[in-house]
Amino acid sequence: MNYMEEALKEAYEGIEKKHGGPFGCVIVKDGKIIGRGHNRVLINHDPTCHGEMEAIRDACKNTSSHDLSGCELYTTAEPCPMCLGAILWANIGKVYYGCNVNDTDNIGFRDDKFYDYLKGDADLLTLEENEREECKRLFDKYIEDKSAVRY
């Protein structure tokens, strides 16, 4: 099976249904697709509904696990920083992508601004520490709870 072809099918479905941009994704484990997704930002009015995020959610639901170790992800475009974060949190070890960041920029998406921010070259957001001691007490309580699930 051509997994990138399946990711492309997801992307085309999203475009045809006007769900969002040309981004589709599948997640594969042991030669079987366990998660599918395409961009649903517009239909869901949710900026986190990128193809990779949707496929990760689907794979986690289908496997009843938040841990996708041993999986591969196929996506029509190089993952943005948000999706890269989710891929890392899900423990996905291999990503195959079609179009790169420059291709994405050429069709009007602004991933480059986020990469610039991460490098310290853009002023998009202000981060400010607040109520650290109270929040540290919360963390201490979590550490004390031996039954708490650790990531």
Side-chain angles (χ1 to χ4, degrees), residues 59-73:
C60 289
K61 182 183 76 173
N62 291 335
T63 62
S64 298
S65 177
H66 62 279
D67 186 354
L68 300 178
S69 294
C71 290
E72 297 176 336
L73 185 145

Side-chain angles (χ1 to χ4, degrees), residues 27 46 48 86 96 98 118 128 132:
I27 297 174
D46 182 343
T48 69
Y96 298 92
L118 292 172
E128 185 175 318
R132 181 171 182 262

Side-chain angles (χ1 to χ4, degrees), residues 23-150:
F23 308 106
C25 181
V26 296
I27 297 174
V28 177
K29 185 164 188 173
D30 299 326
K32 180 180 178 215
I33 294 175
I34 62 166
R36 295 176 172 273
H38 60 262
N39 186 291
R40 287 184 172 91
V41 168
L42 299 178
I43 190 74
N44 289 345
H45 308 289
D46 182 343
T48 69
C49 291
H50 290 193
E52 296 93 339
M53 302 293 284
E54 295 292 290
I56 289 169
R57 290 176 182 128
D58 188 47
C60 289
K61 182 183 76 173
N62 291 335
T63 62
S64 298
S65 177
H66 62 279
D67 186 354
L68 300 178
S69 294
C71 290
E72 297 176 336
L73 185 145
Y74 292 77
T75 182
T76 56
E78 188 172 351
C80 74
M82 175 183 67
C83 293
L84 280 174
I87 289 163
L88 290 168
W89 276 111
N91 298 313
I92 295 170
K94 181 77 176 186
V95 173
Y96 298 92
Y97 63 88
C99 293
N100 63 37
V101 174
N102 294 327
D103 299 322
T104 304
D105 183 54
N106 288 338
I107 63 168
F109 288 85
R110 58 192 176 118
D111 294 16
D112 60 325
K113 289 184 181 0
F114 299 106
Y115 288 108
D116 289 345
Y117 174 79
L118 292 172
K119 290 188 293 189
D121 295 339
D123 187 21
L124 298 175
L125 173 71
T126 301
L127 293 174
E128 185 175 318
E129 191 175 281
N130 186 292
E131 299 288 341
R132 181 171 182 262
E133 289 307 313
E134 188 63 32
C135 293
K136 289 269 295 152
R137 283 191 279 283
L138 168 69
F139 279 28
D140 291 342
K141 183 169 177 56
Y142 177 75
I143 289 169
E144 291 170 13
D145 183 354
K146 302 297 181 206
S147 67
V149 176
R150 304 288 189 244

